[in-house]
Amino acid sequence: LRTQLFNLLSQLNLQIAELESLLKQKADADANVQLLRTQKGVGYLTGLAVVHTLGNVERFPQLSKQVAAFAGLDPLEKSSAGKVKFGGISKQGNWLLRFLLGQAAHLAARHDGKLKSSYKKLAKKKAKSVAKTAVARKLLVKLAIMLRDQISADEFDERGRTVGNARKGHGLQ
């Protein structure tokens, strides 16, 4: 029985290696995925998922709100009698994209200074899972802006926060 399990493990490892090779080939062939991979925490699978799930990001006029809503990372509103409360996320989008963004956000929060400070600030007030979801949303918006403007993560960070969705460097203002 032990020998059979080890044989099964080696077969599964071969299949995993084949799939990883295929993913790498697909990602290397796509310029947008290569652009997204400049962000720490975004790998082949996450890059492919973002590019193929979002499609053309030009179709989102209000990028930060609409991309988050499309992925299901927007907060649900629970309003009654003039009181506005926000609950959990809507989960209306692709579950795999949300999962991969959560994993990428965990890594990005370690290496990206702005995302790290945002996570730490939120984690002091809220549950860590809530802070992680907020960082995943911020990461998604950052990736969508990178796709829209065709800029790398370093260039996005250089443009700064006060530029208005990082468009000032494009001469649009």
Side-chain angles (χ1 to χ4, degrees):
L1 180 63
R2 184 175 156 213
T3 307
Q4 289 175 345
L5 289 175
F6 278 121
N7 288 338
L8 179 62
L9 180 64
S10 63
Q11 289 174 354
L12 290 174
N13 283 335
L14 285 173
Q15 288 179 348
I16 290 170
E18 288 177 23
L19 287 173
E20 285 178 349
S21 173
L22 179 66
L23 279 176
K24 189 172 189 285
Q25 288 174 358
K26 296 273 187 193
D28 288 341
D30 194 334
N32 285 333
V33 175
Q34 291 300 316
L35 189 66
L36 295 183
R37 290 198 63 236
T38 61
Q39 171 63 42
K40 295 279 187 191
V42 176
Y44 298 117
L45 186 57
T46 306
L48 284 166
V50 169
V51 167
H52 292 291
T53 302
L54 293 183
N56 183 9
V57 293
E58 296 293 330
R59 65 190 170 126
F60 300 111
Q62 293 180 321
L63 197 67
S64 62
K65 290 181 182 181
Q66 291 176 332
V67 167
F70 185 76
L73 289 171
D74 57 325
L76 289 174
E77 183 180 331
K78 298 176 182 178
S79 302
S80 176
K83 294 181 181 179
V84 178
K85 294 181 181 179
F86 292 102
I89 60 172
S90 69
K91 298 183 183 178
Q92 291 296 311
N94 187 327
W95 68 269
L96 181 62
L97 178 64
R98 276 193 313 278
F99 172 77
L100 292 171
L101 284 170
Q103 300 299 309
H106 184 73
L107 283 173
R110 285 190 196 165
H111 301 288
D112 189 322
K114 289 183 181 179
L115 292 176
K116 184 177 193 174
S117 66
S118 176
Y119 174 79
K120 285 186 174 185
K121 184 178 177 182
L122 253 165
K124 287 180 184 177
K125 297 185 231 176
K126 303 268 185 183
K128 290 184 181 180
S129 60
V130 173
K132 182 179 168 183
T133 303
V135 170
R137 181 183 188 281
K138 286 180 182 242
L139 179 64
L140 175 64
V141 171
K142 180 177 182 177
L143 295 176
I145 291 171
M146 288 169 53
L147 283 175
R148 179 191 66 194
D149 296 346
Q150 291 295 301
I151 58 174
S152 68
D154 292 333
E155 192 174 344
F156 179 91
D157 292 337
E158 284 176 14
R159 291 184 182 185
R161 191 170 187 194
T162 59
V163 183
N165 285 343
R167 281 195 168 226
K168 191 173 253 184
H170 259 287
L172 296 173
Q173 290 183 343

